[in-house]
Short mmCIF file of all heavy atoms in Angstrom, two decimals:
data_model
loop_
_atom_site.label_atom_id
_atom_site.label_comp_id
_atom_site.label_asym_id
_atom_site.label_seq_id
_atom_site.Cartn_x
_atom_site.Cartn_y
_atom_site.Cartn_z
N THR C 50 -14.69 2.88 -11.36
CA THR C 50 -15.95 2.29 -11.75
C THR C 50 -17.06 2.46 -10.66
O THR C 50 -16.76 2.98 -9.56
CB THR C 50 -15.68 0.73 -11.77
OG1 THR C 50 -15.52 0.27 -10.51
CG2 THR C 50 -14.47 0.36 -12.69
N THR C 51 -18.15 2.00 -11.03
CA THR C 51 -19.31 2.19 -10.12
C THR C 51 -19.59 0.98 -9.31
O THR C 51 -20.69 0.71 -8.70
CB THR C 51 -20.57 2.57 -10.87
OG1 THR C 51 -20.82 1.51 -11.89
CG2 THR C 51 -20.57 3.82 -11.64
N ARG C 52 -18.47 0.14 -9.25
CA ARG C 52 -18.69 -1.14 -8.40
C ARG C 52 -17.56 -1.19 -7.45
O ARG C 52 -16.33 -0.70 -7.58
CB ARG C 52 -18.38 -2.19 -9.41
CG ARG C 52 -19.22 -2.43 -10.71
CD ARG C 52 -20.60 -3.12 -10.60
NE ARG C 52 -20.67 -4.30 -10.07
CZ ARG C 52 -20.51 -5.45 -10.56
NH1 ARG C 52 -20.27 -5.48 -11.84
NH2 ARG C 52 -20.62 -6.65 -10.00
N ALA C 53 -17.75 -1.80 -6.25
CA ALA C 53 -16.76 -1.97 -5.23
C ALA C 53 -15.70 -2.93 -5.64
O ALA C 53 -15.93 -3.91 -6.36
CB ALA C 53 -17.43 -2.34 -3.95
N LYS C 54 -14.48 -2.70 -5.24
CA LYS C 54 -13.33 -3.57 -5.59
C LYS C 54 -12.56 -4.13 -4.43
O LYS C 54 -12.44 -3.37 -3.32
CB LYS C 54 -12.27 -2.66 -6.44
CG LYS C 54 -12.77 -2.03 -7.73
CD LYS C 54 -12.89 -2.98 -8.82
CE LYS C 54 -13.34 -2.48 -10.10
NZ LYS C 54 -13.42 -3.41 -11.18
N ALA C 55 -11.94 -5.23 -4.56
CA ALA C 55 -11.08 -5.79 -3.66
C ALA C 55 -9.70 -5.78 -4.28
O ALA C 55 -9.51 -6.20 -5.44
CB ALA C 55 -11.39 -7.28 -3.21
N VAL C 56 -8.58 -5.15 -3.52
CA VAL C 56 -7.35 -4.96 -4.06
C VAL C 56 -6.29 -5.49 -3.06
O VAL C 56 -6.31 -5.19 -1.92
CB VAL C 56 -7.12 -3.43 -4.28
CG1 VAL C 56 -5.74 -3.14 -4.89
CG2 VAL C 56 -8.15 -2.91 -5.29
N LYS C 57 -5.40 -6.19 -3.61
CA LYS C 57 -4.13 -6.77 -2.83
C LYS C 57 -3.09 -5.62 -2.91
O LYS C 57 -2.75 -5.30 -4.05
CB LYS C 57 -3.73 -8.06 -3.33
CG LYS C 57 -2.45 -8.48 -2.72
CD LYS C 57 -2.42 -8.64 -1.16
CE LYS C 57 -3.02 -10.01 -0.71
NZ LYS C 57 -3.05 -10.08 0.69
N VAL C 58 -2.63 -5.14 -1.78
CA VAL C 58 -1.63 -4.12 -1.81
C VAL C 58 -0.35 -4.85 -1.18
O VAL C 58 -0.43 -5.36 -0.11
CB VAL C 58 -2.07 -2.83 -1.02
CG1 VAL C 58 -0.84 -1.88 -0.86
CG2 VAL C 58 -3.29 -2.25 -1.58
N ARG C 59 0.70 -4.78 -1.90
CA ARG C 59 2.02 -5.38 -1.45
C ARG C 59 3.16 -4.42 -1.60
O ARG C 59 3.34 -3.88 -2.68
CB ARG C 59 2.33 -6.72 -2.21
CG ARG C 59 1.40 -7.76 -2.02
CD ARG C 59 1.72 -8.87 -2.92
NE ARG C 59 3.05 -8.99 -3.23
CZ ARG C 59 3.76 -10.14 -3.58
NH1 ARG C 59 3.16 -11.15 -3.56
NH2 ARG C 59 4.97 -10.05 -3.93
N PHE C 60 3.94 -4.22 -0.48
CA PHE C 60 5.07 -3.46 -0.61
C PHE C 60 6.28 -4.41 -0.58
O PHE C 60 6.34 -5.22 0.31
CB PHE C 60 5.29 -2.61 0.70
CG PHE C 60 4.24 -1.39 0.56
CD1 PHE C 60 2.99 -1.54 1.00
CD2 PHE C 60 4.64 -0.24 -0.09
CE1 PHE C 60 2.05 -0.49 1.03
CE2 PHE C 60 3.76 0.91 -0.07
CZ PHE C 60 2.45 0.79 0.38
N ILE C 61 7.23 -4.25 -1.61
CA ILE C 61 8.29 -5.32 -1.84
C ILE C 61 9.60 -4.40 -1.79
O ILE C 61 9.78 -3.34 -2.35
CB ILE C 61 8.23 -5.81 -3.26
CG1 ILE C 61 6.76 -6.25 -3.51
CG2 ILE C 61 9.19 -6.87 -3.47
CD1 ILE C 61 6.28 -7.47 -2.75
N GLU C 62 10.60 -4.85 -0.97
CA GLU C 62 11.84 -4.22 -0.75
C GLU C 62 12.64 -4.43 -2.09
O GLU C 62 12.40 -5.40 -2.83
CB GLU C 62 12.60 -4.57 0.38
CG GLU C 62 13.01 -6.16 0.56
CD GLU C 62 14.16 -6.44 -0.23
OE1 GLU C 62 15.20 -5.74 -0.43
OE2 GLU C 62 14.15 -7.67 -0.78
N GLY C 63 13.61 -3.56 -2.30
CA GLY C 63 14.23 -3.39 -3.65
C GLY C 63 15.46 -4.33 -3.85
O GLY C 63 16.00 -4.45 -5.01
N LYS C 64 16.05 -4.99 -2.85
CA LYS C 64 17.23 -5.69 -3.05
C LYS C 64 16.99 -7.25 -3.61
O LYS C 64 17.65 -7.67 -4.61
CB LYS C 64 18.00 -5.80 -1.80
CG LYS C 64 18.70 -4.57 -1.38
CD LYS C 64 19.63 -4.65 -0.41
CE LYS C 64 20.28 -3.18 -0.15
NZ LYS C 64 21.34 -3.23 0.88
N THR C 65 15.97 -7.93 -2.94
CA THR C 65 15.73 -9.30 -3.36
C THR C 65 14.21 -9.51 -3.63
O THR C 65 13.83 -10.66 -3.69
CB THR C 65 16.26 -10.35 -2.40
OG1 THR C 65 15.61 -10.08 -1.15
CG2 THR C 65 17.68 -10.26 -2.24
N SER C 66 13.43 -8.43 -3.64
CA SER C 66 12.00 -8.49 -3.85
C SER C 66 11.30 -9.22 -2.77
O SER C 66 10.36 -9.99 -3.08
CB SER C 66 11.64 -9.05 -5.20
OG SER C 66 12.03 -8.17 -6.25
N ALA C 67 11.66 -9.12 -1.53
CA ALA C 67 11.03 -9.70 -0.44
C ALA C 67 9.79 -8.80 0.03
O ALA C 67 10.03 -7.54 0.14
CB ALA C 67 12.00 -9.92 0.81
N GLU C 68 8.72 -9.34 0.35
CA GLU C 68 7.61 -8.63 0.83
C GLU C 68 7.82 -8.03 2.22
O GLU C 68 8.28 -8.70 3.03
CB GLU C 68 6.38 -9.52 0.87
CG GLU C 68 5.02 -8.82 1.18
CD GLU C 68 3.90 -9.82 1.10
OE1 GLU C 68 3.45 -10.27 0.00
OE2 GLU C 68 3.42 -10.25 2.13
#
Side-chain angles (χ1 to χ4, degrees):
T50 74
T51 58
R52 312 271 311 272
K54 301 282 186 177
V56 180
K57 172 59 82 177
V58 179
R59 294 176 24 155
F60 289 87
I61 312 293
E62 59 82 38
K64 290 191 177 184
T65 61
S66 297
E68 184 178 286

